[in-house]
Amino acid sequence: MTSRESPRPIAVIGAGFSGTMSAIQLLARLEPQRRVLLCERAGTFGRGRAYATGNPDHLLNVRAANMSAFPDQPEHFSDWLAQSTFDGDEASGIRVTPGGTFAARGLYGRYLTDLLTRAVTGGDGPPRLDLVNDAVTDLEPAPGGFTLRTEGGASYPIAGAVLAMGNLGAPGAPRSRHQADPWAPESFGRLHPDRTVLIVGTGLTMVDAVAALRRHGFPGRIVALSRRGLLPSAHAPVQPWPMPDLTGVNTVSALAARIRREIERAGAAGLGWRGVIDALRPVTDTVWRDLPASEQARFLRHLRPFWDIHRHRAAPPAAEAIADEIARGTLVVRAGRIRSITDTAAEAIVTLRPRGAAEDEPLAVQCILDATGIGRVAETDDALIRRLMERGLVRPGPFGIGLDASADLAARGSVQAGPLWVVGPLLRGVLWECTAVPDIRNQAAGLAGAVARTLSVPG
Ligand SMILES: Cc1cc2nc3c(=O)[nH]c(=O)nc-3n(C[C@H](O)[C@H](O)[C@H](O)COP(=O)(O)OP(=O)(O)OC[C@H]3O[C@@H](n4cnc5c(N)ncnc54)[C@H](O)[C@@H]3O)c2cc1C
């Protein structure tokens, strides 16, 4: 670069919450001449998968008070809610409950879109954020960084990139021609009211999928299936509890015993378990990183489902809707696993083995929604991740979950090329808590600092 040239931009790939907030934080931290390219393959920027929904029953599963996009401005989202005007469906998307105020996810999407619009127009200074509405297909190492290539045939010289492509989904999930996308109600097709719909998974995505099916007009029977059939807990008023001292705890059984003891202490003080679980949040990543690999594997096998249902809780109105469905028999929650699926023209015959049973059981369903968890990177069909793995620029994270990264979120691969960072749910194997807004907003702020430091060092 000569003194008259602008420095190469930094690219952020993916414009969901992770990419949007990384871009906004980068604009605040990088030198004023450095532009940021925010690349998104979907039609809208800012909302990503979680906040694009227009269904007012799709509520945030974190209280509005804890959904600020900025770690140093905790009231930012609550203030935005208080200062904005809403009408129609939007107005019904704010629910005040004894457990806190919960907003519809679509409203949160509008909040993010507002933040992005302000960033694109440049705030007080000249605009430095460029939106590229195209799928990124490759990052080719080049002098001074990479050449970023897109599906539409464009190429951009960039100094480095941030991978913010969200969760990779679960390619190990059952395949059937009757399978539909829980996030795309248009894929549900015409559902017969007297035939069953199967949701694979019983976590928060299942809660959303039930709401989506009902809003789609399906009144019939839904079966939700997971290995243990555990449902997410609901939010309730929480009394703060001091962070437990976990020094020296380096096995899963010691960890479980320690948490149980702490919950008993809270109970003896007349308080519930929620404060104890919430108190662990600041140390969860450290605890995860400090566990030996064999213990991390034990956690994934035995403790994770229990951790998830206590840690990732449903908004009270959403949990009540599920309880009501179960009481009426319109939602049946089963514990077991799928052994096989045979498609016929009109339905899928799912052979399942109920938990603890010695024999299989057939279940005829008209539609299957995959609401299972995280996908394995090695099995992904994501074109960009596959390309970057072929180039040796990235590699799977621990247990094949997400991408490997250093403590300052720099991607780890077998080849040393231009600077590349990872943010959001793709860090799931490295950082345990990396999928919710309160975690990602910290990552985005920290990452912007790391990028600024790296790019300020003459190459
Ligand atoms: C349904 C749902 C509800 C949730 N609710 C909450 C909640 O209430 N509170 C909370 O704290 N967290 C919630 N979460 C957690 C959520 O993971 C984070 O809040 C956050 O939305 C993750 O955003 P992301 O940008 O990492 O991923 P995504 O939202 O998936 O965004 C990734 C983006 O990258 C784009 N992309 C991917 N590959 C490419 C490519 N090659 N080129 C260009 N673009 C690409 C995709 O199109 C997508 O828009 C929820 C998650 C889901 C799925």
Side-chain angles (χ1 to χ4, degrees):
M1 181 186 90
T2 69
S3 60
R4 300 175 67 83
E5 278 177 302
S6 316
R8 286 172 169 230
I10 181 100
V12 178
I13 304 171
F17 179 81
S18 304
T20 299
M21 290 318 300
S22 297
I24 289 173
Q25 293 284 2
L26 283 166
L27 290 171
R29 297 297 296 268
L30 294 177
E31 72 261 47
Q33 312 88 308
R34 178 94 59 185
R35 301 182 73 87
V36 175
L37 295 185
L38 180 59
C39 310
E40 171 57 56
R41 65 182 174 198
T44 49
F45 282 71
R47 291 173 180 262
R49 178 177 251 199
Y51 311 116
T53 172
N55 184 341
D57 293 330
H58 281 162
L59 297 177
L60 293 173
N61 50 45
V62 174
R63 291 178 184 82
N66 199 15
M67 284 295 286
S68 168
F70 300 97
D72 55 349
Q73 299 174 62
E75 306 297 324
H76 198 270
F77 178 57
S78 297
D79 289 348
W80 179 89
L81 270 183
Q83 287 155 15
S84 305
T85 46
F86 307 107
D87 46 24
D89 259 4
E90 273 196 336
S92 68
I94 302 177
R95 314 276 177 92
V96 181
T97 80
T101 297
F102 292 83
R105 292 211 309 272
L107 279 187
Y108 196 73
R110 202 180 122 187
Y111 167 64
L112 295 176
T113 312
D114 276 7
L115 294 179
L116 193 56
T117 305
R118 218 170 311 147
V120 170
T121 51
D124 299 332
R128 291 158 54 215
L129 178 63
D130 299 317
L131 303 185
V132 176
N133 193 190
D134 206 344
V136 177
T137 50
D138 196 6
L139 295 175
E140 190 183 319
F146 298 98
T147 302
L148 178 150
R149 299 195 189 283
T150 73
E151 199 172 70
S155 62
Y156 302 85
I158 56 166
V162 177
L163 305 177
M165 287 118 69
N167 203 342
L168 288 178
R175 302 271 181 208
S176 158
R177 58 195 268 214
H178 302 290
Q179 189 162 325
D181 179 353
W183 308 121
E186 64 280 5
S187 72
F188 298 173
R190 197 186 296 273
L191 294 174
H192 194 289
D194 296 332
R195 294 210 200 120
T196 300
V197 170
L198 174 66
I199 301 176
V200 186
T202 59
L204 289 169
T205 305
M206 178 279 291
V207 173
D208 279 356
V210 171
L213 283 165
R214 297 308 181 214
R215 196 165 175 85
H216 188 70
F218 175 62
R221 180 174 180 260
I222 301 171
V223 174
L225 173 79
S226 68
R227 292 278 170 119
R228 294 174 191 271
L230 296 173
L231 293 172
S233 311
H235 279 283
V238 180
Q239 295 82 9
W241 186 255
M243 189 162 63
D245 177 12
L246 297 176
T247 315
V249 173
N250 59 3
T251 65
V252 166
S253 43
L255 185 62
R258 185 79 184 79
I259 295 173
R260 231 178 278 125
R261 216 168 43 242
E262 206 66 19
I263 289 172
E264 281 163 15
R265 283 187 54 219
L271 305 175
W273 54 266
R274 289 176 177 80
V276 176
I277 299 295
D278 291 356
L280 292 167
R281 185 167 205 150
V283 290
T284 314
D285 288 335
T286 318
V287 171
W288 172 252
R289 264 198 306 250
D290 289 351
L291 283 178
S294 56
E295 290 298 317
Q296 289 179 334
R298 288 189 66 209
F299 173 86
L300 291 175
R301 250 194 332 271
H302 303 298
L303 207 57
R304 185 182 142 207
F306 297 98
W307 173 256
D308 281 352
I309 61 165
H310 290 96
R311 171 69 189 75
H312 301 287
R313 307 197 275 269
E320 280 157 23
I322 292 296
D324 186 48
E325 292 262 3
I326 293 171
R328 284 188 288 121
T330 45
L331 172 65
V332 179
V333 177
R334 305 283 313 264
R337 65 197 160 91
I338 293 178
R339 306 260 286 168
S340 65
I341 300 177
T342 308
D343 282 343
T344 67
E347 52 190 12
I349 311 299
V350 179
T351 303
L352 61 94
R353 173 69 62 93
R355 190 174 178 82
E359 287 183 11
D360 293 343
E361 201 181 283
L363 175 69
V365 299
Q366 60 178 322
C367 177
I368 300 174
L369 301 182
D370 176 9
T372 53
I374 15 177
R376 294 193 180 273
V377 166
E379 298 162 15
T380 186
D381 48 11
D382 183 283
L384 177 59
I385 297 277
R386 295 212 70 83
R387 190 78 189 111
L388 298 183
M389 281 199 292
E390 280 162 20
R391 289 194 179 281
L393 296 173
V394 299
R395 66 182 180 216
F399 307 102
I401 305 171
L403 295 179
D404 202 4
S406 65
D408 63 358
L409 310 189
R412 283 191 172 131
S414 54
V415 168
Q416 200 56 45
L420 202 55
W421 291 268
V422 188
V423 66
L426 275 175
L427 289 166
R428 186 80 193 246
V430 176
L431 301 178
W432 189 251
E433 293 292 349
C434 64
T435 58
V437 161
D439 307 303
I440 301 174
R441 67 185 173 208
N442 291 333
Q443 289 170 27
L447 174 116
V451 174
R453 282 193 298 280
T454 304
L455 296 185
S456 66
V457 176

